[in-house]
């Protein structure tokens, strides 16, 4: 069947964990945008949701760091963080190991992806699911791109990975939704937490909306570090979604820098229909 | 410097509530399993969150240790800012690739 839905969203832990500290209009407008994304996702009646995330040393560490990993578990637990700290109750999330296996096998034709039957979701997945599948009744296939512990995979490989995911979805009979989650510019969990480079974000989002491959792959890590902070490395997740929906434009439904959430809060949906 | 070992310890601690209980009851029983410098051991035990940041611990790892140690979010951010004042620029790890002073 292939893709029935594709989009991107932010996942910063402050979105839920520091909601009480946010300006009410910032919080409500962003939460509303997440609600609208959920509604758009639900009408496509997906059988499974692939979440391309950038986890933060919850499962993967510098002792054995995969550039790419896809989950193949029956179920997943999350969040791994203190539920009170994150503002999200710990729960089990259903997986779909059989579909995972088919996707992994197909992706391996193009990209040497790792797989894992064990995976604890951190805020990178738990925050989006809190809004998008709040009943935890949709099969989730977690995907990770290492955006935290350099050396990092080059952007053109993130593109190739997104394309490989798309080919795998095209061959599956299921109705599959896919989202990428990450920050654009941000300096999370550092003394600069709350700094956001809005101009850089808006430029990136224009290019992301246009699915401008050349522009998207033109970001060097040095430039990203300087202008977008270490959190900017997570653009890999957005780029993978562009690659998975190559040739389609997308709409940014919400963008607002919200410093207490430590990120330019973003919701974007790819226009998959002609 | 044994930044890898420091981060490994905190990574293991963050994801294992049972180990957190053991660590909080008897820090040395956990610390002995890692090859750490005296400065790192002191920073972990105190805890000196600012110094751990300066030593190069990634914030995605450090913020959870700070929470375990009872730091509220603004206290955690302030501890890192104080660390830069007190101990100087970040010395190792991801954040040293710029000037290590922080961007603000
Ligand atoms: Fe992140």
């Amino acid at each position: 069947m292939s893709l029935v839905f594709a989009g991107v969203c932010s996942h910063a832990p402050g979105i839920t964990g520091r909601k009480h500290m946010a300006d009410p209009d910032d919080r409500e407008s962003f939460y509303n945008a997440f609600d609208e994304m959920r509604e758009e996702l639900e009408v496509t009646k997906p059988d499974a949701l692939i979440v391309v995330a950038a986890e933060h040393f919850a499962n993967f560490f510098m002792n054995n760091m995969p550039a790419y990993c896809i989950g193949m578990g029956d179920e997943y637990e999350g969040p791994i963080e203190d539920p009170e700290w994150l503002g999200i109750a710990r729960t089990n999330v259903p997986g779909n190991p059989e579909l995972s296996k088919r996707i992994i096998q197909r992706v391996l034709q193009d990209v040497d992806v790792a797989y894992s039957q064990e995976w604890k979701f951190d805020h990178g997945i738990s925050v989006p699911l809190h809004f998008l599948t709040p009943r935890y009744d949709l099969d989730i296939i977690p995907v990770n791109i290492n955006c935290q512990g350099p050396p990092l995979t080059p952007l053109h490989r993130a593109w190739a990975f997104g394309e490989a995911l798309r080919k795998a979805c095209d061959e599956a009979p299921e109705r599959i939704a896919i989202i990428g989650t990450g920050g654009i510019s941000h300096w999370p969990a550092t003394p600069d937490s709350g700094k956001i480079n809005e101009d850089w974000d808006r430029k990136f989002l224009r290019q992301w909306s246009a699915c401008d491959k050349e522009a998207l792959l033109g970001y060097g890590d040095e430039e990203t570090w300087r202008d977008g902070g270490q959190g900017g490395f997570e653009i890999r997740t957005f780029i993978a979604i562009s690659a998975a929906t190559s040739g389609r434009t997308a709409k940014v439904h919400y963008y607002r820098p919200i410093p207490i959430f430590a990120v330019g809060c973003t919701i974007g949906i790819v226009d998959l229909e002609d | 410097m044994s930044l890898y070992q420091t981060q490994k310890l905190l990574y293991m601690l963050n994801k294992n509530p049972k180990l957190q209980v053991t660590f909080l009851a008897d820090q040395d029983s956990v610390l002995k399993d890692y090859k750490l410098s005296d400065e790192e051991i002191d920073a972990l035990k105190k805890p000196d969150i600012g110094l751990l940041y300066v030593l190069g611990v990634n914030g995605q790892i450090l913020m959870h240790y700070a929470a375990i140690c009872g730091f509220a979010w603004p206290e955690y951010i302030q501890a890192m800012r104080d660390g830069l004042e007190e101990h100087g620029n970040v010395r190792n790890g991801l954040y040293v690739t710029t000037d290590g002073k922080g961007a603000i």
Side-chain angles (χ1 to χ4, degrees):
Chain A
M1 175 65 200
S2 191
L3 289 185
V4 295
F5 180 88
V8 293
C9 65
S10 309
H11 68 217
I15 293 168
T16 48
R18 297 192 290 279
K19 57 179 179 282
H20 57 287
M21 297 166 80
D23 173 81
D25 185 63
D26 285 344
R27 182 182 58 234
E28 294 314 320
S29 62
F30 185 42
Y31 282 20
N32 285 340
F34 251 130
D35 286 343
E36 285 166 20
M37 187 181 195
R38 183 184 64 246
E39 284 159 16
E40 290 215 23
L41 170 69
E42 283 175 350
V43 294
T44 66
K45 300 199 180 317
D47 297 314
L49 171 64
I50 297 175
V51 185
V52 181
E55 75 128 48
H56 318 76
F57 308 111
N59 303 274
F60 310 114
F61 189 68
M62 279 72 82
N63 57 353
N64 189 7
M65 180 66 84
Y68 301 95
C69 189
I70 299 178
M72 200 169 72
D74 287 319
E75 62 174 9
Y76 307 96
E77 189 188 74
I80 192 170
E81 293 95 341
D82 177 0
E84 213 170 302
W85 180 87
L86 190 59
I88 297 177
R90 195 165 286 154
T91 188
N92 286 330
V93 179
N96 184 333
E98 198 271 322
L99 175 58
S100 282
K101 193 175 168 188
R102 276 184 278 131
I103 288 173
I104 293 160
Q105 191 68 63
R106 183 62 185 86
V107 169
L108 281 168
Q109 292 287 344
D110 300 312
V111 176
D112 297 320
V113 67
Y115 67 85
S116 180
Q117 291 187 257
E118 224 181 293
W119 197 309
K120 298 237 167 125
F121 292 170
D122 76 0
H123 63 267
I125 293 181
S126 288
V127 168
L129 294 189
H130 172 75
F131 292 100
L132 299 177
T133 63
R135 296 178 302 280
Y136 302 107
D137 52 0
L138 180 62
D139 289 350
I140 302 300
I141 297 179
V143 174
N144 194 63
I145 302 178
N146 170 29
C147 300
Q148 303 297 337
L152 305 179
T153 187
L155 301 189
H156 70 88
R157 294 300 293 159
W159 186 277
F161 182 64
E163 284 185 329
L165 280 173
R166 175 56 185 264
K167 286 183 201 164
C169 293
D170 283 346
E171 289 183 12
E174 287 88 349
R175 301 173 62 83
I176 300 175
I178 190 169
I179 57 166
T181 88
I184 317 176
S185 71
H186 61 315
W187 285 255
T190 72
D192 308 311
S193 174
K195 181 181 170 179
I196 295 157
N197 185 343
E198 182 172 350
D199 291 344
W200 195 78
D201 284 359
R202 289 195 183 277
K203 183 174 164 211
F204 178 83
L205 283 174
R206 273 197 301 278
Q207 294 160 342
W208 180 79
S209 299
C211 200
D212 184 342
K213 178 180 177 183
E214 201 184 325
L216 290 173
L217 300 192
Y219 286 79
D221 276 348
E222 220 169 292
E223 176 203 350
T224 298
W225 171 270
R226 185 191 65 225
D227 298 332
Q230 81 278 0
F233 294 148
E234 293 181 345
I235 59 173
R236 284 164 175 76
T237 63
F238 283 41
I239 287 172
I241 298 304
S242 291
T245 58
S246 187
R248 311 302 311 195
T249 56
K251 188 166 171 238
V252 176
H253 288 244
Y254 188 90
Y255 175 81
R256 189 188 288 192
I258 304 180
I260 192 61
F261 292 166
V263 73
C265 292
T266 306
I267 300 282
I269 299 177
V270 181
D271 187 4
L272 292 176
E273 302 265 310
D274 280 320
Chain B
M1 282 290 277
S2 32
L3 176 61
Y4 174 80
Q5 293 282 319
T6 307
Q7 295 198 108
K8 180 78 188 285
L9 185 162
L10 294 177
Y11 163 71
M12 299 303 285
L13 204 57
N14 288 342
K15 57 192 237 153
N16 185 343
K18 278 187 198 153
L19 190 64
Q20 290 169 22
V21 173
T22 306
F23 180 77
L24 292 174
D26 180 3
Q27 293 178 320
D28 290 330
S29 71
V30 176
L31 291 170
K32 71 174 172 39
D33 293 333
Y34 297 85
K35 289 185 190 141
L36 303 166
S37 70
D38 290 345
E39 190 178 34
E40 287 160 343
I41 290 172
D42 288 347
L44 286 162
K45 283 175 115 173
K46 204 173 170 185
D48 189 336
I49 297 297
L51 179 54
L52 289 169
Y53 176 74
V54 166
L55 292 175
V57 176
N58 191 298
Q60 299 286 355
I61 295 172
L62 187 58
M63 68 175 169
H64 298 302
Y65 184 60
I68 291 167
C69 296
F71 285 64
W73 185 254
E75 294 166 352
Y76 164 63
I77 300 296
Q78 191 56 47
M80 288 184 291
R81 290 178 180 159
D82 293 346
L84 289 170
E85 287 279 314
E86 192 180 335
H87 304 291
N89 294 354
V90 175
R91 298 178 207 164
N92 201 351
L94 183 60
Y95 310 124
V96 87
T97 51
T98 51
D99 58 11
K101 290 176 186 159
I104 289 178

